[in-house]
Amino acid sequence: MIELILPVLLLFFFILVLFIVWRFKARKYISSGTVATAYDAWTEDKLLEKLWGEHIHLGFYAPGNKNIDFREAKVQFVHKLVKWSGLDQLPKGSRILDVGCGIGGSSRILAKHYGFNVTGITISPAQVKRARELTPSALNCNFQVMDALDLKFQDGTFDAVWSVEAGAHMNDKVKFADEMLRTLRPGGYLALADWNSRDLRAYPPSFIEKLVLKQLLEQWVHPNFISINEFSNILRTNKNSAGKVFSANWNSYTNPSWYDSIIEGIRRPLVILSLGPLAIVKSIREIPTILLMNWAFRKGLMEFGVYKCRG
């Protein structure tokens, strides 16, 4: 009997997921305003915060230690990127700009553990409001609504610029790099992590891959993806860069995050239920895109790029 019921339940769940994805409109990128609207909605319904904690980005899973708690992996990611990029060489009190700060999870770690003075910016007013609510007054963090393509800071304001998984939402990657490097003082540190595609010009996507990329772009307000090498060249040729840019693909360290992001809903079902029936629908809606992300990163269609350079 169980052998008959299980396939029926799986088929029902599959049909339900397809209906939910069809019922909701795609989150296509139109302008920075659509990015703000999407993140306002994600922040205000509190689903991601309740399930994933204060860090929306992926986690870091060291080889041989894949069973680390999802939220702890996210914290570990921050420390690993700090060390890899050289930000740990900066003295306490250094001025850090966190571009695409979300609700301030990384900013608070940079301030608390390293003694930095952090300014976080995001296009989402709801994220700024929530970041301020979550941040103790004792921490040197401040948050502002600002477009990363039009930073309202003078040249050379910051000792380091930090950005995690924000660049994929930028329709002008050159301007994105220019604004970050412009506000970085000479000799300052840039630490950046982002979702990239493989080089699609050198290795054009297949028909199936095109469909996958379309879903990844349209569901999570991404205008386009570029490769690690392409963005490295943008940084390398920028007039405010010292020219030495180092990059790496952290797919193997971050990929377990995709399954963990779904499993969190199974581990904490009461969290979803506490937010009401619509939260259940919203959480199911994200599953197909998460699974496609996992597939794309495992197959090498997508790459998790990390970058470091000096101003």
Side-chain angles (χ1 to χ4, degrees), residues 72-84:
E72 181 58 33
K74 290 167 174 282
V75 174
Q76 184 165 273
F77 177 91
V78 175
H79 293 302
K80 291 292 183 181
L81 187 59
V82 166
K83 185 174 182 179
W84 181 81

Side-chain angles (χ1 to χ4, degrees), residues 42 52 91 99 103 120 157 240 267 274 306:
W42 279 319
W52 298 349
V99 178
I103 58 175
T157 298
N240 294 308
R267 289 175 180 154
S274 70
V306 291

Side-chain angles (χ1 to χ4, degrees), residues 15-306:
I15 293 173
L16 178 63
V17 169
L18 288 179
F19 172 77
I20 290 172
V21 172
W22 170 80
R23 177 64 180 82
F24 281 91
K25 293 181 180 179
R27 305 184 191 99
K28 292 183 180 181
Y29 177 92
I30 298 174
S31 66
S32 59
T34 52
V35 179
T37 298
Y39 276 100
D40 280 348
W42 279 319
T43 303
E44 288 166 351
D45 66 30
K46 288 203 166 81
L47 181 61
L48 296 184
E49 181 185 337
K50 294 291 186 181
L51 282 180
W52 298 349
E54 298 178 19
H55 308 268
I56 300 175
H57 59 70
L58 303 187
F60 185 98
Y61 299 76
N65 187 25
K66 305 295 185 182
N67 294 323
I68 185 174
D69 178 78
F70 184 41
R71 298 186 184 198
E72 181 58 33
K74 290 167 174 282
V75 174
Q76 184 165 273
F77 177 91
V78 175
H79 293 302
K80 291 292 183 181
L81 187 59
V82 166
K83 185 174 182 179
W84 181 81
S85 63
L87 260 68
D88 57 342
Q89 304 299 312
L90 289 170
K92 292 182 178 181
S94 295
R95 300 157 301 172
I96 312 297
L97 175 64
D98 184 354
V99 178
C101 64
I103 58 175
S106 296
S107 295
R108 285 186 286 276
I109 290 178
L110 295 173
K112 181 179 180 180
H113 290 272
Y114 300 96
F116 297 150
N117 189 335
V118 184
T119 298
I121 66 105
T122 169
I123 198 70
S124 163
Q127 285 189 324
V128 166
K129 180 177 181 292
R130 188 60 180 149
R132 290 171 177 170
E133 292 171 348
L134 291 170
T135 304
S137 58
L139 288 183
N140 289 321
C141 291
N142 72 88
F143 301 97
Q144 302 178 37
V145 178
M146 196 177 298
D147 189 338
L149 300 183
D150 185 23
L151 296 176
K152 306 301 184 182
F153 303 110
Q154 294 183 352
D155 296 0
T157 298
F158 297 98
D159 300 301
V161 175
W162 169 279
S163 182
V164 175
E165 298 175 26
H169 293 297
M170 310 298 166
N171 67 327
D172 188 336
K173 314 300 188 194
V174 174
K175 182 67 173 175
F176 176 54
D178 183 59
E179 282 295 276
M180 288 188 293
L181 290 170
R182 178 187 63 77
T183 60
L184 185 63
R185 68 163 172 81
Y189 293 78
L190 174 70
L192 188 143
D194 211 353
W195 298 349
N196 302 95
S197 65
R198 70 165 185 251
D199 189 335
L200 299 177
R201 291 177 296 184
Y203 304 97
S206 65
F207 175 74
I208 296 298
E209 289 175 335
K210 287 180 180 178
L211 293 179
V212 171
L213 287 171
K214 184 175 186 293
Q215 176 76 359
L216 302 187
L217 290 171
E218 293 186 355
Q219 284 300 318
W220 287 351
V221 284
H222 298 129
N224 56 71
F225 298 122
I226 63 174
S227 71
I228 292 175
N229 285 338
E230 286 176 288
F231 193 68
S232 294
N233 287 332
I234 288 173
L235 293 173
R236 191 172 294 112
T237 57
N238 189 282
K239 65 180 182 179
N240 294 308
S241 168
K244 290 185 178 180
V245 176
F246 298 90
S247 62
N249 184 349
W250 278 14
N251 270 15
S252 62
Y253 301 125
T254 57
N255 277 358
S257 301
W258 298 112
Y259 282 145
D260 266 3
S261 65
I262 296 175
I263 293 171
E264 284 299 291
I266 300 173
R267 289 175 180 154
R268 297 180 170 89
L270 294 181
V271 168
I272 299 176
L273 293 173
S274 70
L275 296 173
L278 189 57
I280 300 173
V281 176
K282 289 180 178 179
S283 62
I284 293 175
R285 178 199 177 171
E286 306 298 346
I287 291 175
T289 307
I290 292 173
L291 292 175
L292 287 177
M293 277 288 189
N294 176 68
W295 181 88
F297 277 92
R298 283 193 299 107
K299 295 295 184 180
L301 175 61
M302 294 290 291
E303 301 174 334
F304 192 93
V306 291

Side-chain angles (χ1 to χ4, degrees), residues 1-11:
M1 188 68 176
I2 295 177
E3 293 179 354
L4 292 175
I5 293 175
L6 185 58
V8 172
L9 289 175
L10 290 174
L11 178 61

